[in-house]
């Protein structure tokens, strides 16, 4: 880690630097009392959350999805014990599988705040390691698009099947063709509802104004690749653009992602969203569930991928038209799911 550029962690609208600490232990050094007094709050974000005063001291509640309890408890309860000892607090956690709030209590306000801050940092760190469960998407699986996609698949296999790594198993399921805006980790019904509510606010705040309440007509045409070497392609995608040449779609998706990032429901990955629809992916090779298996174990799947030579495909299908589509709703799509149409099951939509 570059000590001059430490990683940044965003929690509750605040940005923290995660610095590397090298501790030195001196046997005769006296340990200073961390707590200077019950009202102290030195260098702690006192206004970042609510700390209530009670008859026995102070209390703070943390809403945490049950799948994350184990990261606060730790192996044999060691993490929880260490937090309680170092901050002089008591941390009450609901039973595994039961949704609820974690309650931090202590005699000193500063201790409660310190425990809450440490828990927030822990949760932020482990949440980032969770595989995403949902994503915001525009469906591009209208029948005319699916027909053109199947034509594209047939022609690619006819003309490029002898190119290294090209096979029928690389192609997207036509019923699940989509444009991804961003991914989310939603671990309980409360977080899913929060995402749905935010989608509705976005509709009222700016989406209807930009669209005029009318669907957006887009063209899906041309193919591009994700990595640097077309001879070692892992993802091939179709480009998506507004038929009228405007940037309205780009403005909408960028503002949606900005709102979701600001809410803490989504991590910022890029300065702007790339408007694309994946048509070929080496994660699909041979086993359609390969993406799920690799991602769910938390291991990078790139090492196991067998790339394909996409040079001829890019040359022959540079301007291939997949047709036009009407975009009239943003879906909060569930990963690894299907609805009656074959598209991803929807938890909510705009």
């Amino acid at each position: 880690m570059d000590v001059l550029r430490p990683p940044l962690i965003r929690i509750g609208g605040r940005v923290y630097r995660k610095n590397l600490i090298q501790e030195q232990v001196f046997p005769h050094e006296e340990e200073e009392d961390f707590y200077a007094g019950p009202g102290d709050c030195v260098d702690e974000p006192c206004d970042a959350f609510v700390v209530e005063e009670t008859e026995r001291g102070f209390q703070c509640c943390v809403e945490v999805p049950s799948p994350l309890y184990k990261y606060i408890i730790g192996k044999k309860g060691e993490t929880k014990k260490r937090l309680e000892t170092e901050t002089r607090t008591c941390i009450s956690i609901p039973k595994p599988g039961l949704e609820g709030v974690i309650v931090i209590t202590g005699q000193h306000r500063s201790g409660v705040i310190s425990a809450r801050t440490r828990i927030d940092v822990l949760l932020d760190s482990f949440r980032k390691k969770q595989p995403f469960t949902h994503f915001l998407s525009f469906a591009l699986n209208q029948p005319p698009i699916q027909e053109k996609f199947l034509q594209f698949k047939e022609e690619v296999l006819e003309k490029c099947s002898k190119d290294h790594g090209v096979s029928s198993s690389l192609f997207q399921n036509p019923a699940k063709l989509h444009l991804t805006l961003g991914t989310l980790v939603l671990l309980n019904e409360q977080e899913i509802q929060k995402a749905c509510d935010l989608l509705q606010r976005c509709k009222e705040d700016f989406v209807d104004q930009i669209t005029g309440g009318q669907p957006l007509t887009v063209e899906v045409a041309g193919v591009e690749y994700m990595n640097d070497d077309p001879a070692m392609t892992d993802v091939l995608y179709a480009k998506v653009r507004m038929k009228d040449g405007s940037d309205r779609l780009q403005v909408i998706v960028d503002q949606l992602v900005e709102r979701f990032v600001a809410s803490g429901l989504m991590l910022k990955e890029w300065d702007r969203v790339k408007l694309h629809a994946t048509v070929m992916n080496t994660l699909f090779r041979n086993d359609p569930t390969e993406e799920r298996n690799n991602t769910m174990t938390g291991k990078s799947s790139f090492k196991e991928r067998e790339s394909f030579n996409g040079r001829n495909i890019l040359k022959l299908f540079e301007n291939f038209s997949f047709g036009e589509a009407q975009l009239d709703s943003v879906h909060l799509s569930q990963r690894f799911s299907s609805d009656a149409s074959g598209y991803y099951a929807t938890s909510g939509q705009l």
Side-chain angles (χ1 to χ4, degrees):
M1 182 179 71
D2 188 345
V3 296
L4 298 179
R5 295 180 178 178
L8 302 178
I9 299 176
R10 292 175 171 82
I11 300 174
R14 293 176 175 268
V15 180
Y16 297 85
R17 295 185 183 91
K18 187 176 181 181
N19 294 317
L20 179 66
I21 299 175
Q22 294 181 341
E23 297 183 349
Q24 290 181 309
V25 179
F26 299 95
H28 301 296
E29 182 179 23
E30 294 185 3
E31 183 179 355
E32 293 185 4
D33 190 350
F34 178 79
Y35 305 100
D40 267 358
C41 187
V42 181
D43 295 328
E44 296 286 1
C46 299
D47 58 344
F49 36 76
V50 177
V51 178
E52 300 174 337
E53 188 168 4
T54 66
E55 294 180 357
R56 297 185 177 183
F58 296 87
Q59 173 180 293
C60 182
C61 296
V62 194
E63 291 187 1
V64 179
S66 59
L68 297 182
Y69 292 166
K70 59 184 179 181
Y71 299 115
I72 302 171
I73 297 170
K75 186 178 181 181
K76 296 182 179 180
E78 291 176 358
T79 302
K80 177 175 175 289
K81 291 176 184 176
R82 186 174 67 253
L83 284 171
E84 290 177 325
T85 300
E86 293 178 354
T87 61
R88 298 181 184 176
T89 59
C90 178
I91 302 172
S92 176
I93 302 175
K95 293 181 179 180
L98 295 179
E99 296 296 339
V101 295
I102 291 176
V103 181
I104 307 166
T105 56
Q107 293 184 358
H108 301 300
R109 189 171 188 266
S110 57
V112 172
I113 290 173
S114 179
R116 169 63 190 266
T117 302
R118 295 187 190 193
I119 287 174
D120 283 347
V121 172
L122 268 177
L123 294 175
D124 181 76
S125 176
F126 284 107
R127 181 180 281 273
K128 289 178 180 177
K129 297 178 182 179
Q130 303 295 311
F132 72 88
T133 60
H134 295 72
F135 59 99
L136 296 181
S137 72
F138 282 107
L140 293 172
N141 63 345
Q142 294 85 343
I145 298 284
Q146 290 196 47
E147 290 177 13
K148 293 292 288 185
F149 170 78
L150 291 173
Q151 177 188 334
F152 167 78
K153 178 180 178 180
E154 182 180 349
E155 293 185 14
V156 167
L157 293 176
E158 178 184 338
K159 300 175 182 179
C160 306
S161 61
K162 293 184 179 180
D163 294 344
H164 175 75
V166 174
S167 73
S168 61
S169 62
L170 299 178
F171 291 85
Q172 174 67 283
N173 178 344
K176 291 192 171 182
L177 287 167
H178 66 278
L179 189 163
T180 299
L181 282 63
T183 60
L184 307 95
V185 177
L186 306 177
L187 300 177
N188 59 19
E189 291 300 323
Q190 289 83 354
E191 292 187 344
I192 293 173
Q193 187 58 52
K194 182 178 178 182
C196 292
D197 292 343
L198 181 55
L199 262 183
Q200 186 59 39
R201 289 199 299 274
C202 289
K203 180 180 187 297
E204 298 167 357
D205 291 348
F206 61 87
V207 173
D208 282 346
Q209 181 179 354
I210 295 173
T211 64
Q214 299 298 316
L216 299 177
T217 303
V218 298
E219 295 177 332
V220 185
V223 292
E224 264 295 351
Y225 61 106
M226 285 290 189
N227 50 304
D228 297 327
D229 184 0
M232 298 291 289
T233 299
D234 282 319
V235 177
L236 193 80
Y237 63 89
K239 293 181 281 189
V240 182
R241 56 178 174 267
M242 287 289 297
K243 184 179 180 180
D244 63 9
S246 72
D247 64 348
R248 288 186 296 159
L249 177 60
Q250 187 72 60
V251 170
I252 288 172
V253 298
D254 285 343
Q255 288 193 26
L256 280 169
V257 169
E258 184 179 334
R259 286 288 188 93
F260 272 78
V261 169
S263 73
L265 290 170
M266 184 181 291
L267 295 177
K268 185 172 184 178
E269 298 182 79
W270 317 104
D271 289 335
R272 62 187 320 209
V273 177
K274 181 186 287 290
L275 302 178
H276 74 283
T278 297
V279 293
M280 298 175 69
N281 191 329
T282 55
L283 286 178
F284 303 153
R285 186 185 298 280
N286 297 325
D287 181 6
T289 64
E290 184 178 5
E291 178 187 7
R292 176 175 185 172
N293 293 337
N294 284 336
T295 307
M296 292 301 285
T297 56
K299 297 179 181 178
S300 173
S301 57
F302 289 94
K303 291 184 179 179
E304 292 84 14
R305 287 184 169 189
E306 179 190 348
S307 300
F308 66 93
N309 188 343
R311 285 175 174 169
N312 284 332
I313 299 175
L314 289 163
K315 181 179 180 180
L316 295 172
F317 300 92
E318 179 182 6
N319 298 310
F320 185 90
S321 174
F322 294 87
E324 298 179 3
Q326 300 286 319
L327 305 184
D328 56 6
S329 61
V330 179
H331 299 265
L332 178 61
S333 301
Q334 301 174 31
R335 197 179 185 189
F336 314 131
S337 67
S338 298
D339 61 15
S341 72
Y343 193 65
Y344 299 94
T346 299
S347 296
Q349 65 184 61
L350 177 157

